Amino acid sequence: ANVTTGNVGIGTTNPTEKFSVTGNDFVISMINGAGTDTPATIVGQMARGTIAAPTAVQAEDRLLRFAANGYDGVYPTSYAAQITLIAGEAFTSTAHGAYINFETTALGTTSRTEKMRITEAGNVGIGQTAPNAVLDIVGTASVSGAFRAESTVFFQGIAAGAAGDTDACLDATTNEITDAGASTCIVS
């Protein structure tokens, strides 16, 4: 421990953070032997104000972050990848809406960007920061296996199964969904 800063270190005599661990093959092990179904838990508690006089969290405040860096000659100041839990609204005694975002850094770059979000409503956006459906994907998606829809399926404005809409047809040559051509219609 550094009595001047109050920082605590394991494997270091000069900790730079409140709690620093330095070493090879570093692993954190948490074992809960309480004999119940209570799991070992990591908790991040965030407040504005001070420790002595905390105030409520505001919308977009970061509540907890899991982040990672790699050494490239120096330890970078920005993280290469992170998962952040964020307040979706100002917290009150009856409102604690929050969402999770996932950020990564593309190969050959150093700038991290959001790639996926789980909203307060439980919607998942991939390539989309404001998903409007349970799963909202911006970009090309690939399914290797079965894709099953239990309701109406929309393909670029073609509604398969909706009354009054153009038929969605499967082109037997290209295996593409189309709205015209010499194809075998899957909905008529």
Side-chain angles (χ1 to χ4, degrees):
N2 184 322
V3 294
T4 305
T5 63
N7 295 345
V8 175
I10 297 175
T12 179
T13 57
N14 189 24
T16 58
E17 305 294 335
K18 290 296 178 196
F19 181 64
S20 296
V21 180
T22 303
N24 295 326
D25 298 324
F26 175 67
V27 175
I28 295 175
S29 178
M30 297 180 1
I31 300 171
N32 183 354
T36 67
D37 67 349
T38 304
T41 305
I42 296 172
V43 176
Q45 293 187 328
M46 195 317 200
R48 287 188 172 222
T50 66
I51 296 294
T55 60
V57 167
Q58 299 301 303
E60 300 304 315
D61 281 355
R62 293 172 292 181
L63 305 173
L64 180 65
R65 173 174 46 203
F66 298 93
N69 255 350
Y71 186 77
D72 65 0
V74 296
Y75 283 108
T77 56
S78 67
Y79 303 113
Q82 72 181 28
I83 301 170
T84 310
L85 289 69
I86 302 169
E89 62 187 343
F91 275 33
T92 68
S93 62
T94 59
H96 290 180
Y99 65 93
I100 306 171
N101 81 11
F102 299 79
E103 298 179 1
T104 63
T105 302
L107 297 176
T109 70
T110 58
S111 297
R112 185 185 68 249
T113 57
E114 184 174 332
K115 302 300 190 303
M116 185 173 83
R117 177 178 295 207
I118 303 173
T119 69
E120 304 90 320
N123 292 346
V124 175
I126 299 175
Q128 167 65 277
T129 60
N132 294 313
V134 173
L135 179 60
D136 193 343
I137 301 171
V138 173
T140 302
S142 175
V143 176
S144 67
F147 173 81
R148 181 178 176 158
E150 297 289 335
S151 186
T152 303
V153 178
F154 294 92
F155 296 97
Q156 297 179 355
I158 304 168
D165 284 348
T166 305
D167 292 340
C169 298
L170 176 62
D171 186 303
T173 306
T174 64
N175 288 325
E176 294 178 345
I177 303 289
T178 65
D179 64 351
S183 23
T184 305
C185 284
I186 56 174
V187 175
S188 57

